[in-house]
Amino acid sequence: MTVTPPPSRSAGRAATAVERASAALGRLRRGRLLHPTGRSFVGETVIWGTPGPPTGVALLDDPGRYRTTVRLSKGTPTPGSWPDVLGLALRLHRDGDRPFDLLVSSSGAAPVLRNLPLPRRRFSGTYSTITCYRAGRRRLWLAALADPDSADLGRSLATAAAATRTDTPRLVLAVASAVGPWRLVGQVSLGAQLSAEDDAALAFDPARNLPPDLRVAGPLAWLRDQTYRGSRRARGATAQSGGSTAATV
């Protein structure tokens, strides 16, 4: 999978500069540069298949079941239940293949608002990829949406973790075009919480840990790629570090 660099002759120098700056900031923070505070969980993702026209991405179009590592996080982070840009990271473990790392942020569900990270108090809500993917010539946005029949994740990481001890919270996965409605393609369930050590070791690569028929697009994707590379470098982590080996929920 290739991440498209910004349209500049100095793209290589720019990439090195962004990665080094991200690594330096990560070392100062002594941890993750992005979404440093979070909780990780054992999970399971069930893909039902894409209703209507196929997306061209086999992982979304074909029914399947995947062992999943789930991480909920706060972006800044703000104290307690203060508003923040909330994060949901999923690692779908695929036997014999590269995992699929899907990172989404709190946003609105409407076509314009799905492109904007929006601060929110509650962990039950809409999370969007913000920037788009490309599958062939199609532009796709992915999202995790609130399941009205699920246990509420509450207003803090503590209440979200507590919900997994008494129930199995769920979010619904969806796909959409730039202006089209969300089409429900599957469901992710949260199970037992992982240890603080497991959470600290976990590292995602949303630009490269992708199915072969899906790629990120646009200059923001390039910036995100370099930033995550620098953050992992500061922590001594790799693109596939961590992830639950426990049984699915």
Side-chain angles (χ1 to χ4, degrees):
M1 197 286 303
T2 301
V3 179
T4 304
S8 169
R9 295 180 180 179
S10 59
R13 292 193 297 273
T16 299
V18 172
E19 182 180 343
R20 286 178 175 174
S22 300
L25 290 171
R27 284 190 289 269
L28 285 174
R29 177 167 274 181
R30 298 183 180 179
R32 284 183 175 86
L33 177 60
L34 303 172
H35 288 264
T37 302
R39 305 284 179 91
S40 296
F41 306 88
V42 174
E44 181 178 71
T45 298
V46 177
I47 299 296
W48 306 321
T50 309
T55 63
V57 181
L59 187 144
L60 302 176
D61 294 335
D62 301 333
R65 188 182 297 267
Y66 302 91
R67 181 171 54 86
T68 303
T69 302
V70 183
R71 187 173 193 266
L72 293 170
S73 61
K74 302 191 75 173
T76 309
T78 54
S81 60
W82 287 23
D84 204 335
V85 175
L86 307 180
L88 172 69
L90 306 176
R91 169 164 288 170
L92 277 62
H93 301 274
R94 302 189 296 153
D95 294 339
D97 208 342
R98 181 182 287 269
F100 175 26
D101 286 352
L102 175 63
L103 274 60
V104 288
S105 301
S106 55
S107 67
V112 174
L113 295 180
R114 71 182 57 154
N115 297 306
L116 299 174
L118 300 177
R120 193 171 68 215
R121 289 181 181 273
R122 307 194 70 86
F123 279 91
S124 295
T126 297
Y127 297 84
S128 167
T129 49
I130 308 299
T131 58
C132 71
Y133 291 94
R134 285 197 179 274
R137 301 180 65 181
R138 300 179 182 88
R139 291 196 303 161
L140 301 174
W141 278 257
L142 299 179
L145 310 176
D147 183 340
D149 298 322
S150 170
D152 190 357
L153 290 169
R155 291 191 173 192
S156 69
L157 290 166
T159 59
T164 67
R165 293 194 289 269
T166 58
D167 209 326
T168 306
R170 301 179 305 276
L171 292 162
V172 178
L173 299 180
V175 62
S177 62
V179 296
W182 292 112
R183 293 190 286 161
L184 307 185
V185 299
Q187 175 182 278
V188 58
S189 303
L190 281 69
Q193 183 179 343
L194 299 178
S195 68
E197 292 77 12
D198 287 336
D199 177 74
L202 185 59
F204 295 93
D205 190 335
R208 300 176 188 275
N209 286 342
L210 293 174
D213 39 16
L214 192 67
R215 62 186 178 89
V216 292
L220 287 179
W222 174 87
L223 179 62
R224 194 183 197 192
D225 180 36
Q226 305 308 319
T227 303
Y228 271 90
R229 285 166 63 92
S231 179
R232 290 194 303 270
R233 176 180 169 185
R235 298 166 53 206
T238 70
Q240 298 187 36
S241 293
S244 169
T245 57
T248 55
V249 296

